[in-house]
PDB file of all heavy atoms in Angstrom:
ATOM      1  N   TYR A   1     -20.994  10.532  -3.898  1.00 98.00           N
ATOM      2  CA  TYR A   1     -20.330  11.728  -4.401  1.00 98.00           C
ATOM      3  C   TYR A   1     -19.933  12.651  -3.263  1.00 98.00           C
ATOM      4  O   TYR A   1     -20.630  12.757  -2.254  1.00 98.00           O
ATOM      5  CB  TYR A   1     -21.242  12.527  -5.333  1.00 98.00           C
ATOM      6  CG  TYR A   1     -21.625  11.821  -6.606  1.00 98.00           C
ATOM      7  CD1 TYR A   1     -22.782  11.052  -6.677  1.00 98.00           C
ATOM      8  CD2 TYR A   1     -20.841  11.937  -7.750  1.00 98.00           C
ATOM      9  CE1 TYR A   1     -23.144  10.409  -7.845  1.00 98.00           C
ATOM     10  CE2 TYR A   1     -21.196  11.297  -8.922  1.00 98.00           C
ATOM     11  CZ  TYR A   1     -22.344  10.537  -8.966  1.00 98.00           C
ATOM     12  OH  TYR A   1     -22.697   9.904 -10.137  1.00 98.00           O
ATOM     13  N   ALA A   2     -18.827  13.339  -3.458  1.00 98.00           N
ATOM     14  CA  ALA A   2     -18.480  14.428  -2.570  1.00 98.00           C
ATOM     15  C   ALA A   2     -19.498  15.549  -2.738  1.00 98.00           C
ATOM     16  O   ALA A   2     -20.002  15.786  -3.841  1.00 98.00           O
ATOM     17  CB  ALA A   2     -17.082  14.947  -2.869  1.00 98.00           C
ATOM     18  N   ASP A   3     -19.804  16.251  -1.649  1.00 98.00           N
ATOM     19  CA  ASP A   3     -20.789  17.329  -1.718  1.00 98.00           C
ATOM     20  C   ASP A   3     -20.401  18.394  -2.743  1.00 98.00           C
ATOM     21  O   ASP A   3     -21.266  18.987  -3.392  1.00 98.00           O
ATOM     22  CB  ASP A   3     -20.960  17.977  -0.345  1.00 98.00           C
ATOM     23  CG  ASP A   3     -21.702  17.088   0.635  1.00 98.00           C
ATOM     24  OD1 ASP A   3     -22.391  16.153   0.200  1.00 98.00           O
ATOM     25  OD2 ASP A   3     -21.599  17.340   1.850  1.00 98.00           O
ATOM     26  N   SER A   4     -19.116  18.629  -2.903  1.00 97.00           N
ATOM     27  CA  SER A   4     -18.643  19.680  -3.784  1.00 97.00           C
ATOM     28  C   SER A   4     -18.899  19.409  -5.263  1.00 97.00           C
ATOM     29  O   SER A   4     -18.838  20.332  -6.081  1.00 97.00           O
ATOM     30  CB  SER A   4     -17.146  19.923  -3.565  1.00 97.00           C
ATOM     31  OG  SER A   4     -16.404  18.748  -3.820  1.00 97.00           O
ATOM     32  N   VAL A   5     -19.183  18.150  -5.622  1.00 98.00           N
ATOM     33  CA  VAL A   5     -19.384  17.817  -7.030  1.00 98.00           C
ATOM     34  C   VAL A   5     -20.783  17.304  -7.329  1.00 98.00           C
ATOM     35  O   VAL A   5     -21.109  17.056  -8.499  1.00 98.00           O
ATOM     36  CB  VAL A   5     -18.347  16.783  -7.524  1.00 98.00           C
ATOM     37  CG1 VAL A   5     -16.933  17.266  -7.231  1.00 98.00           C
ATOM     38  CG2 VAL A   5     -18.595  15.415  -6.900  1.00 98.00           C
ATOM     39  N   LYS A   6     -21.622  17.159  -6.319  1.00 98.00           N
ATOM     40  CA  LYS A   6     -22.981  16.674  -6.532  1.00 98.00           C
ATOM     41  C   LYS A   6     -23.736  17.596  -7.484  1.00 98.00           C
ATOM     42  O   LYS A   6     -23.696  18.810  -7.356  1.00 98.00           O
ATOM     43  CB  LYS A   6     -23.731  16.572  -5.204  1.00 98.00           C
ATOM     44  CG  LYS A   6     -23.313  15.401  -4.344  1.00 98.00           C
ATOM     45  CD  LYS A   6     -24.113  15.352  -3.044  1.00 98.00           C
ATOM     46  CE  LYS A   6     -23.697  14.168  -2.190  1.00 98.00           C
ATOM     47  NZ  LYS A   6     -24.410  14.144  -0.887  1.00 98.00           N
ATOM     48  N   GLY A   7     -24.408  16.990  -8.433  1.00 97.00           N
ATOM     49  CA  GLY A   7     -25.153  17.748  -9.414  1.00 97.00           C
ATOM     50  C   GLY A   7     -24.346  18.171 -10.615  1.00 97.00           C
ATOM     51  O   GLY A   7     -24.915  18.619 -11.617  1.00 97.00           O
ATOM     52  N   ARG A   8     -23.027  18.062 -10.541  1.00 98.00           N
ATOM     53  CA  ARG A   8     -22.154  18.453 -11.642  1.00 98.00           C
ATOM     54  C   ARG A   8     -21.401  17.273 -12.253  1.00 98.00           C
ATOM     55  O   ARG A   8     -21.178  17.233 -13.458  1.00 98.00           O
ATOM     56  CB  ARG A   8     -21.142  19.503 -11.182  1.00 98.00           C
ATOM     57  CG  ARG A   8     -21.773  20.793 -10.672  1.00 98.00           C
ATOM     58  CD  ARG A   8     -20.724  21.868 -10.419  1.00 98.00           C
ATOM     59  NE  ARG A   8     -19.757  21.470  -9.390  1.00 98.00           N
ATOM     60  CZ  ARG A   8     -18.448  21.345  -9.589  1.00 98.00           C
ATOM     61  NH1 ARG A   8     -17.932  21.600 -10.789  1.00 98.00           N
ATOM     62  NH2 ARG A   8     -17.645  20.986  -8.598  1.00 98.00           N
ATOM     63  N   PHE A   9     -21.000  16.330 -11.415  1.00 98.00           N
ATOM     64  CA  PHE A   9     -20.236  15.174 -11.869  1.00 98.00           C
ATOM     65  C   PHE A   9     -21.111  13.931 -11.835  1.00 98.00           C
ATOM     66  O   PHE A   9     -21.972  13.788 -10.961  1.00 98.00           O
ATOM     67  CB  PHE A   9     -19.017  14.926 -10.982  1.00 98.00           C
ATOM     68  CG  PHE A   9     -17.925  15.958 -11.066  1.00 98.00           C
ATOM     69  CD1 PHE A   9     -18.102  17.150 -11.759  1.00 98.00           C
ATOM     70  CD2 PHE A   9     -16.707  15.726 -10.447  1.00 98.00           C
ATOM     71  CE1 PHE A   9     -17.098  18.103 -11.830  1.00 98.00           C
ATOM     72  CE2 PHE A   9     -15.692  16.663 -10.509  1.00 98.00           C
ATOM     73  CZ  PHE A   9     -15.879  17.855 -11.199  1.00 98.00           C
ATOM     74  N   THR A  10     -20.853  13.010 -12.751  1.00 98.00           N
ATOM     75  CA  THR A  10     -21.555  11.740 -12.781  1.00 98.00           C
ATOM     76  C   THR A  10     -20.555  10.611 -12.978  1.00 98.00           C
ATOM     77  O   THR A  10     -19.782  10.628 -13.932  1.00 98.00           O
ATOM     78  CB  THR A  10     -22.599  11.690 -13.901  1.00 98.00           C
ATOM     79  OG1 THR A  10     -23.542  12.755 -13.738  1.00 98.00           O
ATOM     80  CG2 THR A  10     -23.345  10.358 -13.874  1.00 98.00           C
ATOM     81  N   ILE A  11     -20.576   9.635 -12.079  1.00 98.00           N
ATOM     82  CA  ILE A  11     -19.714   8.472 -12.216  1.00 98.00           C
ATOM     83  C   ILE A  11     -20.522   7.322 -12.795  1.00 98.00           C
ATOM     84  O   ILE A  11     -21.694   7.141 -12.468  1.00 98.00           O
ATOM     85  CB  ILE A  11     -19.071   8.078 -10.867  1.00 98.00           C
ATOM     86  CG1 ILE A  11     -17.995   7.009 -11.068  1.00 98.00           C
ATOM     87  CG2 ILE A  11     -20.124   7.619  -9.863  1.00 98.00           C
ATOM     88  CD1 ILE A  11     -17.147   6.750  -9.821  1.00 98.00           C
ATOM     89  N   SER A  12     -19.911   6.561 -13.662  1.00 97.00           N
ATOM     90  CA  SER A  12     -20.552   5.399 -14.251  1.00 97.00           C
ATOM     91  C   SER A  12     -19.497   4.347 -14.532  1.00 97.00           C
ATOM     92  O   SER A  12     -18.299   4.624 -14.470  1.00 97.00           O
ATOM     93  CB  SER A  12     -21.302   5.770 -15.540  1.00 97.00           C
ATOM     94  OG  SER A  12     -20.406   6.286 -16.513  1.00 97.00           O
ATOM     95  N   SER A  13     -19.929   3.137 -14.829  1.00 96.00           N
ATOM     96  CA  SER A  13     -18.978   2.065 -15.076  1.00 96.00           C
ATOM     97  C   SER A  13     -19.517   1.085 -16.099  1.00 96.00           C
ATOM     98  O   SER A  13     -20.730   0.975 -16.305  1.00 96.00           O
ATOM     99  CB  SER A  13     -18.639   1.324 -13.785  1.00 96.00           C
ATOM    100  OG  SER A  13     -19.783   0.694 -13.241  1.00 96.00           O
ATOM    101  N   ASP A  14     -18.602   0.412 -16.733  1.00 94.00           N
ATOM    102  CA  ASP A  14     -18.917  -0.679 -17.641  1.00 94.00           C
ATOM    103  C   ASP A  14     -18.193  -1.889 -17.080  1.00 94.00           C
ATOM    104  O   ASP A  14     -16.985  -2.041 -17.270  1.00 94.00           O
ATOM    105  CB  ASP A  14     -18.452  -0.363 -19.061  1.00 94.00           C
ATOM    106  CG  ASP A  14     -18.839  -1.438 -20.060  1.00 94.00           C
ATOM    107  OD1 ASP A  14     -19.030  -2.600 -19.659  1.00 94.00           O
ATOM    108  OD2 ASP A  14     -18.951  -1.118 -21.261  1.00 94.00           O
ATOM    109  N   ASN A  15     -18.927  -2.737 -16.379  1.00 89.00           N
ATOM    110  CA  ASN A  15     -18.308  -3.871 -15.710  1.00 89.00           C
ATOM    111  C   ASN A  15     -17.710  -4.876 -16.692  1.00 89.00           C
ATOM    112  O   ASN A  15     -16.728  -5.548 -16.373  1.00 89.00           O
ATOM    113  CB  ASN A  15     -19.327  -4.569 -14.807  1.00 89.00           C
ATOM    114  CG  ASN A  15     -19.749  -3.721 -13.625  1.00 89.00           C
ATOM    115  OD1 ASN A  15     -19.005  -2.845 -13.183  1.00 89.00           O
ATOM    116  ND2 ASN A  15     -20.944  -3.977 -13.111  1.00 89.00           N
ATOM    117  N   THR A  16     -18.293  -4.965 -17.873  1.00 91.00           N
ATOM    118  CA  THR A  16     -17.763  -5.870 -18.879  1.00 91.00           C
ATOM    119  C   THR A  16     -16.360  -5.465 -19.311  1.00 91.00           C
ATOM    120  O   THR A  16     -15.500  -6.317 -19.560  1.00 91.00           O
ATOM    121  CB  THR A  16     -18.695  -5.932 -20.099  1.00 91.00           C
ATOM    122  OG1 THR A  16     -19.986  -6.376 -19.692  1.00 91.00           O
ATOM    123  CG2 THR A  16     -18.146  -6.877 -21.143  1.00 91.00           C
ATOM    124  N   LYS A  17     -16.124  -4.157 -19.383  1.00 93.00           N
ATOM    125  CA  LYS A  17     -14.826  -3.635 -19.812  1.00 93.00           C
ATOM    126  C   LYS A  17     -13.928  -3.227 -18.648  1.00 93.00           C
ATOM    127  O   LYS A  17     -12.831  -2.710 -18.872  1.00 93.00           O
ATOM    128  CB  LYS A  17     -15.026  -2.442 -20.745  1.00 93.00           C
ATOM    129  CG  LYS A  17     -15.764  -2.792 -22.032  1.00 93.00           C
ATOM    130  CD  LYS A  17     -15.649  -1.685 -23.071  1.00 93.00           C
ATOM    131  CE  LYS A  17     -16.363  -0.435 -22.647  1.00 93.00           C
ATOM    132  NZ  LYS A  17     -16.361   0.596 -23.737  1.00 93.00           N
ATOM    133  N   ASN A  18     -14.392  -3.450 -17.407  1.00 95.00           N
ATOM    134  CA  ASN A  18     -13.631  -3.055 -16.214  1.00 95.00           C
ATOM    135  C   ASN A  18     -13.197  -1.596 -16.302  1.00 95.00           C
ATOM    136  O   ASN A  18     -12.040  -1.250 -16.024  1.00 95.00           O
ATOM    137  CB  ASN A  18     -12.415  -3.966 -16.020  1.00 95.00           C
ATOM    138  CG  ASN A  18     -12.801  -5.368 -15.588  1.00 95.00           C
ATOM    139  OD1 ASN A  18     -13.845  -5.584 -14.971  1.00 95.00           O
ATOM    140  ND2 ASN A  18     -11.952  -6.338 -15.910  1.00 95.00           N
ATOM    141  N   THR A  19     -14.130  -0.756 -16.666  1.00 97.00           N
ATOM    142  CA  THR A  19     -13.840   0.651 -16.895  1.00 97.00           C
ATOM    143  C   THR A  19     -14.797   1.536 -16.102  1.00 97.00           C
ATOM    144  O   THR A  19     -15.991   1.246 -16.019  1.00 97.00           O
ATOM    145  CB  THR A  19     -13.944   0.993 -18.391  1.00 97.00           C
ATOM    146  OG1 THR A  19     -12.997   0.207 -19.125  1.00 97.00           O
ATOM    147  CG2 THR A  19     -13.657   2.465 -18.639  1.00 97.00           C
ATOM    148  N   VAL A  20     -14.260   2.604 -15.530  1.00 97.00           N
ATOM    149  CA  VAL A  20     -15.060   3.590 -14.823  1.00 97.00           C
ATOM    150  C   VAL A  20     -14.885   4.938 -15.513  1.00 97.00           C
ATOM    151  O   VAL A  20     -13.815   5.243 -16.040  1.00 97.00           O
ATOM    152  CB  VAL A  20     -14.663   3.671 -13.332  1.00 97.00           C
ATOM    153  CG1 VAL A  20     -13.233   4.159 -13.165  1.00 97.00           C
ATOM    154  CG2 VAL A  20     -15.637   4.552 -12.564  1.00 97.00           C
ATOM    155  N   TYR A  21     -15.956   5.730 -15.517  1.00 98.00           N
ATOM    156  CA  TYR A  21     -15.949   7.033 -16.161  1.00 98.00           C
ATOM    157  C   TYR A  21     -16.353   8.107 -15.156  1.00 98.00           C
ATOM    158  O   TYR A  21     -17.092   7.850 -14.207  1.00 98.00           O
ATOM    159  CB  TYR A  21     -16.928   7.074 -17.334  1.00 98.00           C
ATOM    160  CG  TYR A  21     -16.734   5.969 -18.339  1.00 98.00           C
ATOM    161  CD1 TYR A  21     -17.455   4.781 -18.245  1.00 98.00           C
ATOM    162  CD2 TYR A  21     -15.830   6.109 -19.388  1.00 98.00           C
ATOM    163  CE1 TYR A  21     -17.278   3.761 -19.163  1.00 98.00           C
ATOM    164  CE2 TYR A  21     -15.645   5.096 -20.308  1.00 98.00           C
ATOM    165  CZ  TYR A  21     -16.373   3.925 -20.196  1.00 98.00           C
ATOM    166  OH  TYR A  21     -16.193   2.916 -21.115  1.00 98.00           O
ATOM    167  N   LEU A  22     -15.881   9.304 -15.392  1.00 98.00           N
ATOM    168  CA  LEU A  22     -16.310  10.455 -14.611  1.00 98.00           C
ATOM    169  C   LEU A  22     -16.653  11.576 -15.582  1.00 98.00           C
ATOM    170  O   LEU A  22     -15.754  12.162 -16.196  1.00 98.00           O
ATOM    171  CB  LEU A  22     -15.227  10.910 -13.634  1.00 98.00           C
ATOM    172  CG  LEU A  22     -15.638  12.032 -12.685  1.00 98.00           C
ATOM    173  CD1 LEU A  22     -16.702  11.549 -11.704  1.00 98.00           C
ATOM    174  CD2 LEU A  22     -14.432  12.580 -11.927  1.00 98.00           C
ATOM    175  N   GLN A  23     -17.938  11.851 -15.734  1.00 98.00           N
ATOM    176  CA  GLN A  23     -18.392  12.962 -16.550  1.00 98.00           C
ATOM    177  C   GLN A  23     -18.426  14.209 -15.682  1.00 98.00           C
ATOM    178  O   GLN A  23     -19.163  14.265 -14.699  1.00 98.00           O
ATOM    179  CB  GLN A  23     -19.774  12.683 -17.127  1.00 98.00           C
ATOM    180  CG  GLN A  23     -20.335  13.806 -17.984  1.00 98.00           C
ATOM    181  CD  GLN A  23     -19.533  14.034 -19.244  1.00 98.00           C
ATOM    182  OE1 GLN A  23     -19.207  13.086 -19.956  1.00 98.00           O
ATOM    183  NE2 GLN A  23     -19.206  15.290 -19.525  1.00 98.00           N
ATOM    184  N   MET A  24     -17.643  15.206 -16.041  1.00 98.00           N
ATOM    185  CA  MET A  24     -17.524  16.425 -15.264  1.00 98.00           C
ATOM    186  C   MET A  24     -18.112  17.587 -16.057  1.00 98.00           C
ATOM    187  O   MET A  24     -17.608  17.927 -17.126  1.00 98.00           O
ATOM    188  CB  MET A  24     -16.060  16.708 -14.908  1.00 98.00           C
ATOM    189  CG  MET A  24     -15.382  15.566 -14.167  1.00 98.00           C
ATOM    190  SD  MET A  24     -13.697  15.967 -13.637  1.00 98.00           S
ATOM    191  CE  MET A  24     -12.886  16.062 -15.235  1.00 98.00           C
ATOM    192  N   ASN A  25     -19.176  18.173 -15.534  1.00 98.00           N
ATOM    193  CA  ASN A  25     -19.833  19.306 -16.166  1.00 98.00           C
ATOM    194  C   ASN A  25     -19.752  20.527 -15.263  1.00 98.00           C
ATOM    195  O   ASN A  25     -19.486  20.417 -14.069  1.00 98.00           O
ATOM    196  CB  ASN A  25     -21.299  18.977 -16.463  1.00 98.00           C
ATOM    197  CG  ASN A  25     -21.469  17.824 -17.422  1.00 98.00           C
ATOM    198  OD1 ASN A  25     -20.687  17.645 -18.346  1.00 98.00           O
ATOM    199  ND2 ASN A  25     -22.528  17.039 -17.215  1.00 98.00           N
ATOM    200  N   SER A  26     -20.008  21.693 -15.845  1.00 98.00           N
ATOM    201  CA  SER A  26     -19.987  22.949 -15.097  1.00 98.00           C
ATOM    202  C   SER A  26     -18.719  23.077 -14.265  1.00 98.00           C
ATOM    203  O   SER A  26     -18.752  23.411 -13.079  1.00 98.00           O
ATOM    204  CB  SER A  26     -21.228  23.055 -14.206  1.00 98.00           C
ATOM    205  OG  SER A  26     -22.415  22.975 -14.966  1.00 98.00           O
ATOM    206  N   LEU A  27     -17.596  22.828 -14.891  1.00 98.00           N
ATOM    207  CA  LEU A  27     -16.326  22.814 -14.175  1.00 98.00           C
ATOM    208  C   LEU A  27     -15.962  24.189 -13.633  1.00 98.00           C
ATOM    209  O   LEU A  27     -16.225  25.214 -14.268  1.00 98.00           O
ATOM    210  CB  LEU A  27     -15.219  22.292 -15.083  1.00 98.00           C
ATOM    211  CG  LEU A  27     -15.225  20.771 -15.270  1.00 98.00           C
ATOM    212  CD1 LEU A  27     -14.411  20.368 -16.494  1.00 98.00           C
ATOM    213  CD2 LEU A  27     -14.671  20.091 -14.019  1.00 98.00           C
ATOM    214  N   LYS A  28     -15.361  24.181 -12.463  1.00 98.00           N
ATOM    215  CA  LYS A  28     -14.938  25.385 -11.769  1.00 98.00           C
ATOM    216  C   LYS A  28     -13.426  25.364 -11.581  1.00 98.00           C
ATOM    217  O   LYS A  28     -12.821  24.298 -11.557  1.00 98.00           O
ATOM    218  CB  LYS A  28     -15.612  25.473 -10.396  1.00 98.00           C
ATOM    219  CG  LYS A  28     -17.128  25.396 -10.423  1.00 98.00           C
ATOM    220  CD  LYS A  28     -17.682  25.350  -9.006  1.00 98.00           C
ATOM    221  CE  LYS A  28     -19.194  25.263  -9.010  1.00 98.00           C
ATOM    222  NZ  LYS A  28     -19.745  25.196  -7.631  1.00 98.00           N
ATOM    223  N   PRO A  29     -12.803  26.528 -11.421  1.00 98.00           N
ATOM    224  CA  PRO A  29     -11.355  26.539 -11.175  1.00 98.00           C
ATOM    225  C   PRO A  29     -10.943  25.689  -9.975  1.00 98.00           C
ATOM    226  O   PRO A  29      -9.859  25.094  -9.991  1.00 98.00           O
ATOM    227  CB  PRO A  29     -11.055  28.025 -10.930  1.00 98.00           C
ATOM    228  CG  PRO A  29     -12.090  28.735 -11.733  1.00 98.00           C
ATOM    229  CD  PRO A  29     -13.336  27.883 -11.595  1.00 98.00           C
ATOM    230  N   GLU A  30     -11.788  25.611  -8.954  1.00 97.00           N
ATOM    231  CA  GLU A  30     -11.464  24.815  -7.786  1.00 97.00           C
ATOM    232  C   GLU A  30     -11.496  23.315  -8.048  1.00 97.00           C
ATOM    233  O   GLU A  30     -11.111  22.526  -7.176  1.00 97.00           O
ATOM    234  CB  GLU A  30     -12.381  25.160  -6.602  1.00 97.00           C
ATOM    235  CG  GLU A  30     -13.857  25.173  -6.953  1.00 97.00           C
ATOM    236  CD  GLU A  30     -14.380  26.576  -7.241  1.00 97.00           C
ATOM    237  OE1 GLU A  30     -13.715  27.323  -7.982  1.00 97.00           O
ATOM    238  OE2 GLU A  30     -15.458  26.927  -6.706  1.00 97.00           O
ATOM    239  N   ASP A  31     -11.954  22.899  -9.223  1.00 98.00           N
ATOM    240  CA  ASP A  31     -11.886  21.495  -9.608  1.00 98.00           C
ATOM    241  C   ASP A  31     -10.503  21.115 -10.121  1.00 98.00           C
ATOM    242  O   ASP A  31     -10.235  19.930 -10.349  1.00 98.00           O
ATOM    243  CB  ASP A  31     -12.925  21.173 -10.687  1.00 98.00           C
ATOM    244  CG  ASP A  31     -14.349  21.311 -10.189  1.00 98.00           C
ATOM    245  OD1 ASP A  31     -14.633  20.877  -9.054  1.00 98.00           O
ATOM    246  OD2 ASP A  31     -15.189  21.839 -10.946  1.00 98.00           O
ATOM    247  N   THR A  32      -9.646  22.086 -10.323  1.00 98.00           N
ATOM    248  CA  THR A  32      -8.298  21.819 -10.810  1.00 98.00           C
ATOM    249  C   THR A  32      -7.543  20.928  -9.834  1.00 98.00           C
ATOM    250  O   THR A  32      -7.444  21.238  -8.645  1.00 98.00           O
ATOM    251  CB  THR A  32      -7.529  23.131 -11.017  1.00 98.00           C
ATOM    252  OG1 THR A  32      -8.163  23.898 -12.041  1.00 98.00           O
ATOM    253  CG2 THR A  32      -6.088  22.856 -11.421  1.00 98.00           C
ATOM    254  N   ALA A  33      -7.028  19.812 -10.331  1.00 98.00           N
ATOM    255  CA  ALA A  33      -6.331  18.848  -9.487  1.00 98.00           C
ATOM    256  C   ALA A  33      -5.807  17.715 -10.354  1.00 98.00           C
ATOM    257  O   ALA A  33      -6.122  17.625 -11.544  1.00 98.00           O
ATOM    258  CB  ALA A  33      -7.272  18.277  -8.420  1.00 98.00           C
ATOM    259  N   ILE A  34      -5.007  16.866  -9.747  1.00 98.00           N
ATOM    260  CA  ILE A  34      -4.680  15.598 -10.369  1.00 98.00           C
ATOM    261  C   ILE A  34      -5.754  14.610  -9.943  1.00 98.00           C
ATOM    262  O   ILE A  34      -6.013  14.449  -8.750  1.00 98.00           O
ATOM    263  CB  ILE A  34      -3.286  15.081  -9.957  1.00 98.00           C
ATOM    264  CG1 ILE A  34      -2.207  16.077 -10.376  1.00 98.00           C
ATOM    265  CG2 ILE A  34      -3.019  13.723 -10.581  1.00 98.00           C
ATOM    266  CD1 ILE A  34      -0.815  15.698  -9.908  1.00 98.00           C
ATOM    267  N   TYR A  35      -6.370  13.967 -10.903  1.00 98.00           N
ATOM    268  CA  TYR A  35      -7.434  13.016 -10.637  1.00 98.00           C
ATOM    269  C   TYR A  35      -6.886  11.600 -10.733  1.00 98.00           C
ATOM    270  O   TYR A  35      -6.256  11.231 -11.728  1.00 98.00           O
ATOM    271  CB  TYR A  35      -8.590  13.212 -11.616  1.00 98.00           C
ATOM    272  CG  TYR A  35      -9.441  14.413 -11.279  1.00 98.00           C
ATOM    273  CD1 TYR A  35      -8.952  15.703 -11.438  1.00 98.00           C
ATOM    274  CD2 TYR A  35     -10.731  14.250 -10.774  1.00 98.00           C
ATOM    275  CE1 TYR A  35      -9.718  16.806 -11.101  1.00 98.00           C
ATOM    276  CE2 TYR A  35     -11.512  15.346 -10.442  1.00 98.00           C
ATOM    277  CZ  TYR A  35     -11.004  16.624 -10.605  1.00 98.00           C
ATOM    278  OH  TYR A  35     -11.768  17.711 -10.280  1.00 98.00           O
ATOM    279  N   TYR A  36      -7.137  10.813  -9.691  1.00 98.00           N
ATOM    280  CA  TYR A  36      -6.634   9.454  -9.602  1.00 98.00           C
ATOM    281  C   TYR A  36      -7.777   8.446  -9.629  1.00 98.00           C
ATOM    282  O   TYR A  36      -8.775   8.617  -8.926  1.00 98.00           O
ATOM    283  CB  TYR A  36      -5.844   9.241  -8.310  1.00 98.00           C
ATOM    284  CG  TYR A  36      -4.563  10.040  -8.217  1.00 98.00           C
ATOM    285  CD1 TYR A  36      -4.551  11.300  -7.639  1.00 98.00           C
ATOM    286  CD2 TYR A  36      -3.362   9.522  -8.702  1.00 98.00           C
ATOM    287  CE1 TYR A  36      -3.379  12.035  -7.548  1.00 98.00           C
ATOM    288  CE2 TYR A  36      -2.196  10.247  -8.611  1.00 98.00           C
ATOM    289  CZ  TYR A  36      -2.201  11.507  -8.030  1.00 98.00           C
ATOM    290  OH  TYR A  36      -1.036  12.231  -7.933  1.00 98.00           O
ATOM    291  N   CYS A  37      -7.600   7.413 -10.395  1.00 97.00           N
ATOM    292  CA  CYS A  37      -8.534   6.301 -10.421  1.00 97.00           C
ATOM    293  C   CYS A  37      -8.173   5.303  -9.327  1.00 97.00           C
ATOM    294  O   CYS A  37      -6.995   5.086  -9.032  1.00 97.00           O
ATOM    295  CB  CYS A  37      -8.489   5.625 -11.792  1.00 97.00           C
ATOM    296  SG  CYS A  37      -9.581   4.204 -11.975  1.00 97.00           S
ATOM    297  N   ASN A  38      -9.180   4.707  -8.731  1.00 97.00           N
ATOM    298  CA  ASN A  38      -9.011   3.748  -7.646  1.00 97.00           C
ATOM    299  C   ASN A  38      -9.934   2.561  -7.894  1.00 97.00           C
ATOM    300  O   ASN A  38     -11.052   2.729  -8.387  1.00 97.00           O
ATOM    301  CB  ASN A  38      -9.340   4.434  -6.311  1.00 97.00           C
ATOM    302  CG  ASN A  38      -9.552   3.468  -5.167  1.00 97.00           C
ATOM    303  OD1 ASN A  38     -10.634   2.896  -5.029  1.00 97.00           O
ATOM    304  ND2 ASN A  38      -8.538   3.307  -4.335  1.00 97.00           N
ATOM    305  N   ALA A  39      -9.458   1.369  -7.552  1.00 97.00           N
ATOM    306  CA  ALA A  39     -10.293   0.188  -7.713  1.00 97.00           C
ATOM    307  C   ALA A  39     -10.015  -0.821  -6.617  1.00 97.00           C
ATOM    308  O   ALA A  39      -8.860  -1.015  -6.220  1.00 97.00           O
ATOM    309  CB  ALA A  39     -10.074  -0.460  -9.080  1.00 97.00           C
ATOM    310  N   GLN A  40     -11.076  -1.434  -6.130  1.00 97.00           N
ATOM    311  CA  GLN A  40     -10.979  -2.524  -5.175  1.00 97.00           C
ATOM    312  C   GLN A  40     -11.115  -3.812  -5.981  1.00 97.00           C
ATOM    313  O   GLN A  40     -12.196  -4.139  -6.460  1.00 97.00           O
ATOM    314  CB  GLN A  40     -12.073  -2.405  -4.120  1.00 97.00           C
ATOM    315  CG  GLN A  40     -11.968  -3.403  -2.988  1.00 97.00           C
ATOM    316  CD  GLN A  40     -13.002  -3.116  -1.899  1.00 97.00           C
ATOM    317  OE1 GLN A  40     -13.512  -2.003  -1.778  1.00 97.00           O
ATOM    318  NE2 GLN A  40     -13.313  -4.117  -1.108  1.00 97.00           N
TER     319      GLN A  40
END
């Protein structure tokens, strides 16, 4: 995790469904952005 989101965001995945999730809590105005998914 980036230091700026530690303790607030949680990443998880379901390998069977090839899906990744990002649970974002305690959101701040500085979290405003376009969020992009990436996969290797």
